[in-house]
Amino acid sequence: MNLQGDHQSIGSVLSGLNDEFKEQEVAEKAKELGLGYINLTKISINMDFLSLVTKQESKSASLIPYFGVGRKIRLAITNLQNPNIKLIIDRLKEQEYEVAISLCSDESMAHAQQSYTSDLHFEKKEIIADDSQKAESLDQEIELIRQIPQKIGNLKGEEALNLLHIEVLKLKASDVHFEPQKNKTLKVRARIDGVLIEFFTLDQDKAVDMVRTVKHLAKLKLNIDYLPQDGKYTFDATDRAVDVRVSTLPVKNGESIVMRFLDSKKSILNVDDLGFSVKAYADFKKSLASTNGIILSTGPTGSGKTTTLHSALSYINTPDKKIVTVEDPVEFQIPGIVQCEINADKGLTFASGLRSILRQDPNVVMIGEIRDQETAETAI
């Protein structure tokens, strides 16, 4: 009998149980205080939001930013009574951040604070300066877009739509949303850096004109407004052609339309620039180096799934590999990679395309979307 080994095993189990009890106590305390609870050992910290609080501030307040979307951020704390917390929150609110608080354990906080690096304070200053300049430019562009309803008074449908195209393109929006309202008007919003921003509302006449123009360009049936339709069209920007994928959905007040901009000028990011936390980055690079297995990129609209996948493909794209993709549509063309575009009208679906791809002797296969059971089963 290996007594030393048994003692070590029992010690590990007891230590694990003790950690669980501590986390449970903190979760119950958070509930009593009406706060959220978070175990920071279970998540990856986004460095962009981590940079809002310096390492010294994090230590003194026992506080850390662990999640955010746009100007909304979540802070984890260990002690609500710490006076330094209010100072940090007040500063963030002055910078127009919406702040929510979650409670975490001391052990959880110590684990998360390891994400800080020695030169993060320098990085923080650069990031905040860049974000400030970007925010100012963004606000100016949005203000110009909000003046569009006045500018398109006498413009025809396609001219008015093209004006919207050009302005939205400046903001690097991924999607434009047309949402019908009760009074037959049309709310126009766009997704920028993953966040939906409202632009303006078109009156009834312009709303009808704009919807018909989009459907006409996308070769959708104008008299069909009771079934979903998908199509695409291309418009000419100043220095390039931009593809737009169109999806319509019948809703209570009319048709909801989403236009996805597929801008060929958008460069594929280097894997190093994707914004992973240190641990997630190491795990991702390790997975990419593996000779078998599957990597799933998941998340909400605009979160960077396609960007991540194509960055990964570029990273592993070497002459000794046969890489084949099946996409709908092909958003980024990568030299040296065989890319197959879905055409459901002619019977080429993700499932059928994937079956054919497997006979192409690939080293790596990339599937743009897993929409059904057959595709999921074939992929796995």
Side-chain angles (χ1 to χ4, degrees), residues 166-185:
I166 299 302
E167 293 298 336
V168 167
L169 208 59
K170 293 177 185 177
L171 297 173
K172 299 181 180 179
S174 60
D175 303 82
V176 175
H177 295 229
F178 287 173
E179 300 168 345
Q181 307 299 298
K182 284 183 180 179
N183 54 2
K184 304 297 182 183
T185 59

Side-chain angles (χ1 to χ4, degrees), residues 41 55 78 85 115 138 167:
T41 66
K55 183 177 181 179
T78 61
I85 292 174
S115 299
L138 181 67
E167 293 298 336

Side-chain angles (χ1 to χ4, degrees), residues 96-333:
E96 298 185 353
Y97 283 98
E98 293 181 36
V99 179
I101 295 175
S102 298
L103 203 64
C104 72
S105 67
D106 292 329
E107 293 77 11
S108 181
M109 177 63 69
H111 173 84
Q113 286 173 335
Q114 293 175 12
S115 299
Y116 280 102
T117 60
S118 58
D119 58 349
L120 184 64
H121 185 65
F122 174 74
E123 291 175 4
K124 171 182 178 285
K125 289 180 179 177
E126 285 193 334
I127 290 170
I128 289 178
D130 290 344
D131 282 351
S132 175
Q133 292 167 5
K134 182 178 177 182
E136 186 177 344
S137 174
L138 181 67
D139 289 340
Q140 291 171 350
E141 290 295 342
I142 290 173
E143 198 54 45
L144 288 174
I145 289 178
R146 285 176 175 158
Q147 296 171 14
I148 285 180
Q150 287 75 45
K151 294 180 180 178
I152 64 176
N154 299 318
L155 295 180
K156 295 179 181 178
E158 196 163 339
E159 293 173 333
L161 183 63
N162 197 55
L163 178 62
L164 177 62
H165 283 154
I166 299 302
E167 293 298 336
V168 167
L169 208 59
K170 293 177 185 177
L171 297 173
K172 299 181 180 179
S174 60
D175 303 82
V176 175
H177 295 229
F178 287 173
E179 300 168 345
Q181 307 299 298
K182 284 183 180 179
N183 54 2
K184 304 297 182 183
T185 59
L186 195 68
K187 182 192 293 184
V188 179
R189 300 199 289 172
R191 190 175 296 281
I192 302 167
D193 290 337
V195 179
L196 268 178
I197 296 176
E198 184 172 342
F199 286 156
F200 52 79
T201 300
L202 292 174
D203 62 33
Q204 185 173 345
D205 290 341
K206 279 296 174 187
V208 171
D209 193 26
M210 196 71 85
V211 169
R212 287 181 63 85
T213 300
V214 171
K215 292 180 71 174
H216 171 72
L217 289 173
K219 296 181 171 56
L220 303 180
K221 295 179 180 178
L222 299 180
N223 62 330
I224 301 294
D225 57 6
Y226 50 86
L227 291 173
Q229 297 187 75
D230 293 299
K232 59 183 177 181
Y233 64 90
T234 301
F235 74 90
D236 292 322
T238 306
D239 56 349
R240 64 197 183 279
V242 177
D243 293 326
V244 182
R245 186 175 67 196
V246 178
S247 170
T248 73
L249 181 71
V251 294
K252 188 172 183 180
N253 299 310
E255 283 182 286
S256 173
I257 297 178
V258 174
M259 293 168 284
R260 166 62 60 90
F261 281 59
L262 310 174
D263 188 358
S264 59
K265 193 176 181 181
K266 284 184 180 178
S267 59
I268 298 174
L269 289 177
N270 189 293
V271 169
D272 298 338
D273 299 324
L274 288 174
F276 282 118
S277 68
V278 175
K279 183 179 183 305
Y281 177 71
D283 290 342
F284 189 53
K285 293 283 284 284
K286 183 179 178 182
S287 298
L288 290 176
S290 177
T291 56
N292 54 59
I294 185 169
I295 298 173
L296 291 175
S297 175
T298 68
T301 300
S303 60
K305 298 183 295 296
T306 301
T307 299
T308 300
L309 287 173
H310 285 88
S311 296
L313 290 178
S314 294
Y315 178 76
I316 63 172
N317 185 20
T318 54
D320 61 318
K321 293 189 184 76
K322 173 73 173 278
I323 301 176
V324 187
T325 74
V326 53
E327 306 172 62
D328 182 22
V330 172
E331 295 191 30
F332 298 98
Q333 293 189 32

Side-chain angles (χ1 to χ4, degrees), residues 56-75:
Q56 185 177 352
E57 288 174 328
S58 177
K59 291 286 187 182
S60 64
S62 192
L63 169 154
I64 197 165
Y66 68 91
F67 180 75
V69 176
R71 307 299 290 183
K72 298 180 180 179
I73 60 171
R74 289 188 175 274
L75 305 177

